Amino acid sequence: MIRLTALCTVLLAVAAAMPSFAQTEPQTLATPAEAPPAPPPAPEKVYETVRVAITTSEGPIVLALEKERAPLTTANFLRYVDQKRMDGTVFYRAMKLTDDGSYGLIQGGTQGNPKKVLPKIAHEPTTKTGLSHTDGAISMARGAPGSADGDFFITVGALESLNADPSKPGDNLGFAVFGHVVEGMETVRKIMNAPTSPTLGAGVMKGQMIAAPIRILTARRSQ
């Protein structure tokens, strides 16, 4: 009896010393603070342009000229527009680099007409302006750098080989892009596919001259 009582006393003591397994509120791990959302990307800079509408015998072409990025070349073209020197000129060349006319350029302007042409301008290379000969780019025709005046071309498809490339030998300054077509690429492609003469033209331009040049009726600033 004494032993039983002593055993009970020991068991009660052990039980009192054991941790309680009664249900308690579950512990939760602290949640780290969420990182603040990333700031939105800065909006892409919009450069100021000037619109010019060219009305041709095949339809209209609307250009956005890069007043900020190619100021010298844009100012030159606008002088021809404002003085109506482009009126009555023609698109005279269609350089097709593919048989279907989906890649190449059309060229037009004053063709050295002394009654139309203004003094030549300094060259603005694409390495300076940041522009490129993408599809629908308008760029100045030239011989040597600094010889551009009143002749220009519009690309059909990307002709980035016409960009300035300082890694190339010789004349590596490319051509001076100064805007792009915003309306009327269907007119550009129509001119591109105009019949060409197999005999007209000199040097690389032989076979690229439009048999019946496309008239530029007017060129005016547009909204």
Side-chain angles (χ1 to χ4, degrees):
M1 188 68 176
I2 295 174
R3 289 180 180 177
L4 183 56
T5 302
L7 179 59
C8 289
T9 303
V10 172
L11 290 174
L12 290 171
V14 171
M18 291 179 66
S20 171
F21 288 92
Q23 186 174 0
T24 60
E25 291 293 326
Q27 292 184 341
T28 56
L29 297 176
T31 303
E34 292 185 4
E44 186 176 347
K45 179 175 172 57
V46 177
Y47 294 93
E48 185 177 356
T49 60
V50 179
R51 289 202 172 200
V52 168
I54 298 177
T55 303
T56 80
S57 55
E58 293 296 323
I61 301 169
V62 181
L63 308 167
L65 305 185
E66 295 283 351
K67 181 178 179 179
E68 281 193 79
R69 289 191 280 186
L72 190 155
T73 314
T74 293
N76 173 69
F77 194 83
L78 289 175
R79 280 192 290 271
Y80 282 90
V81 169
D82 293 341
Q83 296 176 28
K84 301 182 180 179
R85 291 173 181 265
M86 284 296 172
D87 295 11
T89 61
V90 296
F91 282 103
Y92 54 84
R93 182 187 184 194
M95 185 183 80
K96 301 180 183 72
L97 298 178
T98 55
D99 292 338
D100 64 357
S102 63
Y103 191 62
L105 60 83
I106 62 171
Q107 185 169 321
T110 56
Q111 294 180 277
N113 183 340
K115 294 182 179 180
K116 296 278 190 181
V117 75
L118 292 169
K120 301 182 186 304
I121 60 170
H123 184 58
E124 279 184 313
T126 54
T127 47
K128 178 179 179 180
T129 63
L131 301 170
S132 181
H133 287 85
T134 54
D135 183 37
I138 181 170
S139 188
M140 294 303 297
R142 69 170 178 87
S147 65
D149 45 43
D151 287 82
F152 63 93
F153 62 88
I154 297 173
T155 57
V156 177
L159 273 69
E160 295 180 1
S161 61
L162 301 181
N163 294 344
D165 186 351
S167 69
K168 291 181 178 179
D171 180 358
N172 56 23
L173 294 178
F175 295 85
V177 180
F178 63 102
H180 61 280
V181 175
V182 291
E183 295 176 30
M185 276 304 290
E186 64 276 9
T187 302
V188 173
R189 294 188 179 94
K190 191 183 297 185
I191 298 170
M192 179 77 161
N193 286 295
T196 54
S197 167
T199 57
L200 292 177
V204 297
M205 294 175 68
K206 186 174 182 179
Q208 299 177 2
M209 308 302 285
I210 298 174
I214 309 303
R215 290 177 297 138
I216 296 175
L217 306 176
T218 61
R220 299 286 185 274
R221 295 193 191 220
S222 175
Q223 297 298 323

